[in-house]
Amino acid sequence: MGQPQKPIAAEQQILSLGRVLQRLREEDDVDVLIETTISYLKEQFDYKLIWIALYDRLNHILFGKGGMTPDNDTVFLRQRVVLSPGDLLEQVVIEQNPLGVANLQTEIRAAEWRKIAEKFHIQGTIIIPIRYKGHCLGLLLLGSERWGYLLPAEAKARLMMVLGELGAVLYQNEMDLQHKQTKRTDEPLLELLEKLRTLSNLNQRLEAAVQATHKFVSPSRTNVYWFEREGRYFWCRMSNQLVKLDRNSNTPQAAGMTVQDLSDFYYALSVNQIVSIGDARSSLKSHFTAKLLQRLKVRSLLAAPIIWQKDLVGFLAVESNEPRIWTETDKNFVQGVSGLISLVASTESMESTIKQIQEDAQLTSQVAQGIYSEHDLQETLHSCAKKVLARLAATRFLLLQYDSDQNNYQFIYQNQPYNRRSLTFTLDSLKELDGQLLQGSTQAVEIQNLDEDLRFFNWRPLLLENGVRSLLICKCTHEHIPATLLVITQETHHSWTTLEKELLWAVSQQIGVIVRQWQLHNRTTQQQKISQAFEQCLRILTQSQNKKIEVEKKHLERTALEQIALILGCPLAILLSWSPGESSAEIIPGVIDNSKFGIFSEASIPIQAEALIQWALATESYLTLKVDNLPPETRKWLNVPDKGQILVMALRTNTDYESTGVVLLADYQEHRWSEQSLSATATLVSQLAWWRREKLISRLLESTTEELRQLNWYKHRRLEEIQRITALSLRQIHDLGIPSNELTQMRYQLLLRQLDHTVASMIGMLKLEQWQLHISWETMPIASLLKRSLERIENLLKQQKLWIGVHGLGQQVEAQSPKNSSLAKAVPTLNAQSAMAIAGDIVKIELVIHELLVTACNRSQIGGRIDIWCRRLDASKIGNANPSSETVETDHQTSLELSITYNGAIEPQLLTELHDNTSKDVLAHSNLDQPPGLHLLICQNLMLELGGELNFYQLPDNRVVSRLLLPLVGHDS
């Protein structure tokens, strides 16, 4: 396939190839080029079907330019072929690679060519693109009656050389044609510019611009649309069909088009972007393109914005009733004409603009004067707001201040017409994107249509509800979160000029300075007031100590409440006071300066049932609330106006200490207290709480000391009397003589010795321990000490039917009290363990052991068991002898561990308090304030003074352990 009909010498093929290439280079006519190529193909290649077509890139179409068929009918070879997806011809055009088909008659991707192939019996086919520099300029189709599509390398090389040269010539012709067809924009623009210089008014200049544009672009219509900011709509000011249109004209072409109808189109023009809509092409979104064309009743549109000082004045539009592809020349010319209109449009309002600039400068100057004037802030802002609203044709002038405590913006000033209500709501804090928008802005942020604009989205519902449709926002300060914002609103969709936005920006910066100045002034005044209140309050709270006189407690509290109320400017300040353990609170009035308040001071307020008290106790610091939140029970003793607000704070000195009162402050209307004032108030209330706690503790200690002195005096005098009577009785017994019976005499003498010893010990106690303890130093075997201790509780053991066991003294002793009349006889005394002796104040140690045994008996169940464990400890074991409690190492070399264990109930709170060995709050109720906890605490502290230890804990099997460490007598003692 593809072999020449007659063998041709290589020289003849090369000469023929050279001749055809030379002809292609020297020829400019496309038809002649195609004919030359077809003739060469007929001469050099044996193909029955030859077809050459040129490619139109814009319309994606092939134009047949001729070829050869077996019947010499070339009519269908000059038809136009529209390429469709999946077509063989489109594949070659797009991929720009040759394509072979073994049998064209069976190829389903070439529907039209299949019929031709069947007609002429064409099978093997080659489709080759004609390309140059990456551009597909056309294609060549060669068909043979043979099956297959093989082409020898030498023939393929010659064919590609011819097609390459043809492509290069076609590409150059196309470029030359485009250059000739390109219209020059410089001359028409220069002519228009010269003409504009000679015309006197704006309408004449617009007419000249429209005519020049219409002549150059040749659309169906050419119009100039003007933008009205009040109402935000466009109206046709000039047209090539109806010149010198007026905005009040009733003609359809002059009808207004609102920005809402042309939203995407309007925003594209606002950013100085030319809008081009042509045949299947658009610079806007597809859904809006159809809407815009339908609104203008055209099929193609080219619009260029008219902008002056960054503000959209209007746009120049060329419109076509047919689909049209706008060239870059058309776009450049329309954009150039719109720029010329921008220049000449400014001269129309030059005088009014100069006058407006002067008025704006005067306005900013007057606002700046407010910084240095002594007028009130409200007066300064009122004067500024009236002028700004009039200048910017706005409805509301709003000044917002950020409240970091509430995390929202509140109105600190607003101005609006008399027939508009003031705004009473607050605005949420800015979203992150809105905050970044304001933070990076260098001019006012404009929202022309609040219904559609998504900026400041969380403010939209409240603003729309109050009639706001457009607004300008300026930051007055430059913090990370703008603290002060100036907002100008309008009740219609409105657009402000760049000059107006710059004016508001300048005003906002000056207002920011004014607000900052007044804030500093108010802060200084507040600091002075707080400083005076602190000084006065501290003087009042300390005067009783400084003067060493007792001042009436309630008088000091009232005076302190007056100073606390002065900081916040509250007309009402009272104290709900109670003492620890009381169930009701007393009302102590401090300040009642307004007849609108009523306090039933005689009322007894239940602490647990009163909501105000419980709310204050549940709050770590102060709590503010509205009067509407008060329950009916509170209103029975507290009468506050409905619009008032209340601050309560508990008198709390420490989280672990009980509160002894609640301070209540009230105002007759809602008031925004500064953080500084609230912090100072909280400090003074805390100081009052410490003062009250100090007074309560002092009064408690004084009372306790007085009671203990009386008790000690009474017991001491009673002991003196008992000692006197006992001594007198002994003298009388001695005077009676000794009985003659030998057994009676022995017992008689034993009792006398015991009485003598008791009287002697009483004399020592009365003499040495009248007002303080006296620590003596004695030694006693532990066995003897335990015998004496068990003898003292023998009756108690019998009553409770308790088992007792002594371990660690050589042999284990277990006994039940009812069967042993004298349990002490069973304690061993002869071995080494029983020979251990303790050193110290034996009398006091014996009393401690007795107290522990009595406690064990009282807490044990009837028939229960008590074990006494004795163990010698050296210095290395003292610190870790008790794994469940912390112990302190003693200075002794050896100690005796005496542990008393029993099964009985003990309060976990009591164990905890004994472990800590102190009460957290002196004024709070404690298990250590009364027996038996008080007795155990006394024993614990006494053992520390005696050089030992006493600890209490509970084992995992619920047995209670009283562990006593006693110093042992050394071998060298």
Side-chain angles (χ1 to χ4, degrees):
M1 172 185 156
Q3 296 295 330
Q5 291 181 350
K6 297 178 181 180
I8 302 175
E11 293 82 357
Q12 292 178 347
Q13 293 178 354
I14 294 175
L15 291 175
S16 179
L17 176 62
R19 286 194 297 270
V20 71
L21 292 178
Q22 184 66 26
R23 292 175 189 173
L24 293 177
R25 293 191 193 99
E26 296 175 351
E27 186 57 54
D28 293 332
D29 191 314
V30 175
D31 292 333
V32 176
L33 291 173
I34 298 299
E35 289 298 331
T36 302
T37 305
I38 293 174
S39 299
Y40 177 75
L41 294 175
K42 290 179 181 179
E43 177 185 348
Q44 298 294 326
F45 298 92
D46 183 19
Y47 285 99
K48 299 299 181 181
L49 178 63
I50 300 175
W51 181 56
I52 294 180
L54 298 183
Y55 175 57
D56 180 3
R57 290 191 298 275
L58 294 178
N59 298 307
H60 200 48
I61 295 174
L62 289 174
F63 291 95
K65 303 301 289 185
M68 180 189 73
T69 61
D71 61 357
N72 295 322
D73 183 10
T74 61
V75 176
F76 74 92
L77 298 180
R78 296 186 178 275
Q79 294 180 355
R80 186 179 70 168
V81 178
V82 178
L83 298 178
S84 57
D87 192 355
L88 280 179
L89 301 181
E90 186 194 48
Q91 179 180 344
V92 175
V93 167
I94 293 177
E95 296 180 358
Q96 298 187 23
N97 290 320
L99 179 66
V101 179
N103 188 355
L104 187 59
Q105 299 179 24
T106 61
E107 182 57 54
I108 61 175
R109 293 180 297 168
E112 297 295 332
W113 289 100
R114 284 178 60 187
K115 298 177 183 179
I116 298 174
E118 292 174 355
K119 178 180 178 181
F120 298 119
H121 308 291
I122 300 299
Q123 295 190 59
T125 304
I126 297 176
I127 307 173
I128 305 172
I130 303 172
R131 57 188 298 274
Y132 184 75
K133 291 186 176 180
H135 295 276
C136 183
L137 303 170
L139 56 80
L140 167 66
L141 185 146
L142 299 175
S144 173
E145 294 180 350
R146 298 182 181 182
W147 187 90
Y149 47 84
L150 293 177
L151 186 66
E154 179 270 336
K156 182 178 179 180
R158 289 187 286 114
L159 179 60
M160 298 309 294
M161 291 176 65
V162 172
L163 294 181
E165 188 63 34
L166 176 62
V169 177
L170 290 175
Y171 179 80
Q172 186 60 43
N173 289 345
E174 183 178 334
M175 293 297 102
D176 294 340
L177 180 61
Q178 288 184 3
H179 182 72
K180 292 178 181 179
Q181 292 177 348
T182 300
K183 294 182 289 186
R184 298 178 60 86
T185 61
D186 50 357
E187 295 180 0
L189 285 176
L190 289 175
E191 292 177 2
L192 175 60
L193 178 60
E194 184 64 28
K195 190 173 183 180
L196 293 178
R197 292 174 55 188
T198 61
L199 299 175
S200 58
N201 58 59
L202 181 59
N203 285 333
Q204 293 176 350
R205 292 169 177 171
L206 292 178
E207 181 181 355
V210 167
Q211 291 177 352
T213 305
H214 192 76
K215 179 180 179 182
F216 185 87
V217 182
S218 300
S220 300
R221 291 190 306 271
T222 302
N223 299 324
V224 171
Y225 292 90
W226 220 245
F227 180 55
E228 282 298 323
R229 298 191 173 277
E230 188 65 34
R232 298 175 76 237
Y233 68 91
F234 292 96
W235 61 282
C236 185
R237 182 164 184 173
M238 188 61 62
S239 174
N240 70 302
Q241 297 178 350
L242 296 171
V243 298
K244 300 182 181 180
L245 291 173
D246 185 81
R247 76 184 72 181
N248 298 320
S249 174
N250 295 324
T251 58
Q253 290 85 348
M257 297 180 295
T258 63
V259 170
Q260 188 172 0
D261 294 336
L262 310 175
S263 56
D264 289 7
F265 178 65
Y266 166 74
Y267 291 119
L269 296 176
S270 298
V271 297
N272 199 18
Q273 176 182 335
I274 189 169
V275 176
S276 173
I277 302 176
D279 187 12
R281 291 174 177 82
S282 175
S283 59
L284 302 177
K285 296 179 181 179
S286 58
H287 70 279
F288 184 78
T289 298
K291 179 181 177 181
L292 178 61
L293 295 178
Q294 183 180 4
R295 177 67 180 83
L296 297 176
K297 297 179 181 180
V298 296
R299 301 187 65 181
S300 301
L301 172 69
L302 183 61
I306 302 171
I307 292 180
W308 171 248
Q309 291 185 339
K310 301 180 183 180
D311 296 321
L312 183 63
V313 178
F315 65 92
L316 172 63
V318 290
E319 307 165 5
S320 178
N321 296 328
E322 299 296 332
R324 176 169 172 174
I325 298 177
W326 306 106
T327 65
E328 289 298 321
T329 304
D330 297 334
K331 297 177 183 179
N332 293 336
F333 186 83
V334 173
Q335 196 167 18
V337 174
S338 67
L340 293 177
I341 296 177
S342 300
L343 295 176
V344 299
S346 62
T347 60
E348 183 184 33
S349 57
M350 188 65 71
E351 293 183 0
S352 61
T353 302
I354 294 174
K355 182 180 180 181
Q356 192 64 67
I357 293 175
Q358 293 174 347
E359 293 177 355
D360 292 347
Q362 184 180 5
L363 173 60
T364 55
S365 174
Q366 291 174 351
V367 176
Q369 291 176 3
I371 300 175
Y372 307 100
S373 66
E374 298 180 356
H375 296 296
D376 182 73
L377 175 63
Q378 300 291 325
E379 181 181 348
T380 303
L381 291 176
H382 180 73
S383 175
C384 172
K386 289 179 62 178
K387 295 176 181 178
V388 170
L389 291 178
R391 168 67 179 87
L392 301 183
T395 306
R396 294 181 183 272
F397 180 100
L398 306 173
L399 192 59
L400 284 72
Q401 182 72 29
Y402 177 71
D403 186 346
S404 57
D405 299 329
Q406 303 294 331
N407 193 25
N408 60 19
Y409 281 92
Q410 301 178 358
F411 298 106
I412 61 175
Y413 176 79
Q414 52 183 309
N415 192 299
Q416 58 276 326
Y418 294 108
N419 58 349
R420 302 290 190 278
R421 292 182 180 180
S422 299
L423 303 181
T424 57
F425 53 85
T426 60
L427 295 172
D428 295 337
S429 61
L430 294 171
K431 298 297 183 182
E432 183 178 0
L433 290 178
D434 296 329
Q436 293 175 356
L437 173 65
L438 282 179
Q439 183 66 26
S441 64
T442 56
Q443 67 173 9
V445 177
E446 179 184 27
I447 296 181
Q448 300 179 11
N449 187 351
L450 190 60
D451 298 287
E452 298 179 353
D453 204 312
L454 297 181
R455 292 174 296 176
F456 305 96
F457 189 79
N458 55 333
W459 291 6
R460 287 179 62 200
L462 290 173
L463 294 176
L464 289 173
E465 183 180 345
N466 287 270
V468 177
R469 292 297 178 269
S470 56
L471 53 92
L472 285 178
I473 303 179
C474 289
K475 62 178 181 181
C476 302
T477 54
H478 297 273
E479 296 93 347
H480 177 64
I481 299 178
T484 308
L485 298 178
L486 176 60
V487 181
I488 303 298
T489 72
Q490 177 59 272
E491 294 182 346
T492 60
H493 298 158
H494 191 82
S495 174
W496 287 274
T497 65
T498 301
L499 189 62
E500 291 171 337
K501 288 185 281 189
E502 291 176 351
L503 168 65
L504 186 64
W505 175 263
V507 171
S508 69
Q509 302 309 295
Q510 293 172 349
I511 288 179
V513 176
I514 296 175
V515 172
R516 179 64 175 171
Q517 175 182 323
W518 280 98
Q519 286 177 341
L520 293 175
H521 173 73
N522 293 335
R523 188 174 301 174
T524 302
T525 304
Q526 185 69 20
Q527 287 177 345
Q528 293 176 351
K529 184 192 297 184
I530 292 173
S531 178
Q532 294 173 358
F534 263 85
E535 182 180 353
Q536 182 69 13
C537 192
L538 293 177
R539 185 184 301 114
I540 293 169
L541 296 180
T542 57
Q543 63 180 347
S544 60
Q545 297 177 356
N546 294 337
K547 296 183 179 180
K548 301 299 182 181
I549 60 175
E550 182 64 26
V551 182
E552 184 184 0
K553 177 171 169 284
K554 290 186 179 180
H555 171 70
L556 290 177
E557 290 172 341
R558 290 192 186 100
T559 311
L561 288 174
E562 292 176 359
Q563 299 302 318
I564 293 173
L566 181 63
I567 294 178
L568 295 181
C570 291
L572 175 68
I574 62 173
L575 174 64
L576 305 178
S577 174
W578 64 87
S579 297
E582 292 183 350
S583 60
S584 60
E586 174 191 6
I587 298 178
I588 300 177
V591 178
I592 304 179
D593 289 343
N594 197 308
S595 59
K596 296 180 180 180
F597 298 99
I599 300 295
F600 183 41
S601 58
E602 301 300 327
S604 179
I605 304 173
I607 298 175
Q608 296 297 327
E610 176 51 50
L612 271 182
I613 295 178
Q614 293 304 314
W615 291 342
L617 294 178
T619 306
E620 184 175 353
S621 184
Y622 55 83
L623 172 67
T624 59
L625 58 147
K626 297 180 181 179
V627 176
D628 298 339
N629 299 329
L630 295 180
E633 291 76 10
T634 303
R635 289 178 174 269
K636 293 179 181 179
W637 60 268
L638 176 62
N639 184 20
V640 182
D642 293 338
K643 294 184 178 181
Q645 67 177 4
I646 292 176
L647 182 145
V648 290
M649 181 175 177
L651 293 180
R652 183 183 291 109
T653 54
N654 189 289
T655 54
D656 297 327
Y657 294 167
E658 291 186 4
S659 299
T660 59
V662 170
V663 172
L664 186 150
L665 304 171
D667 204 346
Y668 56 86
Q669 63 181 0
E670 291 186 18
H671 190 77
R672 182 179 179 274
W673 291 312
S674 67
E675 181 64 27
Q676 186 181 20
S677 300
L678 292 172
S679 177
T681 300
T683 302
L684 287 183
V685 171
S686 178
Q687 184 65 34
L688 177 60
W690 280 107
W691 178 83
R692 279 173 55 86
R693 176 177 173 80
E694 178 192 356
K695 291 299 179 186
L696 288 173
I697 292 176
S698 299
R699 187 170 59 183
L700 175 63
L701 295 179
E702 290 173 0
S703 174
T704 304
T705 302
E706 184 65 23
E707 291 177 358
L708 292 177
R709 285 175 177 173
Q710 293 175 1
L711 179 63
N712 186 66
W713 172 83
Y714 165 74
K715 288 187 175 182
H716 199 80
R717 291 293 181 258
R718 288 286 294 162
L719 284 173
E720 288 178 345
E721 180 64 16
I722 293 172
Q723 187 271 336
R724 185 185 66 80
I725 294 174
T726 305
L728 179 60
S729 300
L730 276 175
R731 283 197 302 269
Q732 293 174 353
I733 292 174
H734 282 295
D735 292 342
L736 290 176
I738 301 175
S740 57
N741 187 289
E742 183 177 357
L743 178 61
T744 305
Q745 180 181 4
M746 182 179 64
R747 296 186 62 184
Y748 183 81
Q749 290 177 347
L750 179 61
L751 292 174
L752 284 179
R753 282 198 299 270
Q754 290 179 352
L755 287 173
D756 288 336
H757 178 73
T758 302
V759 171
S761 64
M762 290 177 64
I763 293 174
M765 182 187 70
L766 293 173
K767 188 174 184 179
L768 299 176
E769 296 183 309
Q770 180 174 359
W771 290 106
Q772 60 185 7
L773 292 176
H774 175 73
I775 306 299
S776 62
W777 186 261
E778 306 169 86
T779 62
M780 177 178 282
I782 184 62
S784 301
L785 184 61
L786 288 178
K787 282 183 179 180
R788 290 170 55 173
S789 299
L790 293 175
E791 285 176 355
R792 297 180 64 178
I793 64 168
E794 190 168 353
N795 291 333
L796 188 58
L797 291 172
K798 291 179 180 180
Q799 293 175 4
Q800 297 289 101
K801 299 179 182 180
L802 298 174
W803 290 80
I804 190 165
V806 181
H807 315 275
L809 294 181
Q811 68 182 38
Q812 183 171 327
V813 177
E814 290 191 9
Q816 186 179 17
S817 54
K819 296 180 180 180
N820 296 275
S821 60
S822 179
L823 180 63
K825 295 179 181 180
V827 179
T829 59
L830 299 177
N831 52 40
Q833 286 288 95
S834 62
M836 289 188 299
I838 61 173
D841 195 324
I842 300 300
V843 174
K844 295 180 176 61
I845 294 175
E846 184 179 351
L847 289 175
V848 170
I849 296 176
H850 173 72
E851 185 70 34
L852 297 178
L853 290 173
V854 170
T855 300
C857 292
N858 290 334
R859 291 184 177 271
S860 297
Q861 299 178 356
I862 295 177
R865 179 188 180 98
I866 300 175
D867 291 290
I868 302 175
W869 304 84
C870 299
R871 183 173 60 151
R872 178 192 296 269
L873 296 179
D874 56 23
S876 61
K877 297 181 180 179
I878 294 176
N880 57 6
N882 177 16
S884 60
S885 66
E886 297 178 0
T887 60
V888 180
E889 293 190 11
T890 65
D891 295 333
H892 302 284
Q893 295 296 322
T894 57
S895 296
L896 174 68
E897 180 187 60
L898 180 66
S899 299
I900 301 173
T901 64
Y902 59 93
N903 285 306
I906 188 169
E907 299 83 355
Q909 183 63 28
L910 176 60
L911 282 178
T912 302
E913 293 179 1
L914 286 172
H915 180 269
D916 296 340
N917 199 7
T918 181
S919 174
K920 290 185 178 180
D921 187 356
V922 177
L923 300 176
H925 171 74
S926 172
N927 292 313
L928 304 181
D929 291 340
Q930 60 277 331
L934 177 60
H935 293 169
L936 296 178
L937 178 64
I938 292 173
C939 292
Q940 195 175 48
N941 293 333
L942 182 60
M943 286 308 304
L944 289 176
E945 295 184 24
L946 296 177
E949 285 185 31
L950 176 57
N951 296 299
F952 304 92
Y953 56 95
Q954 196 165 19
L955 296 175
D957 59 1
N958 293 326
R959 285 187 298 162
V960 181
V961 179
S962 301
R963 178 177 177 270
L964 189 64
L965 281 183
L966 299 172
L968 283 175
V969 179
H971 296 291
D972 56 348
S973 297

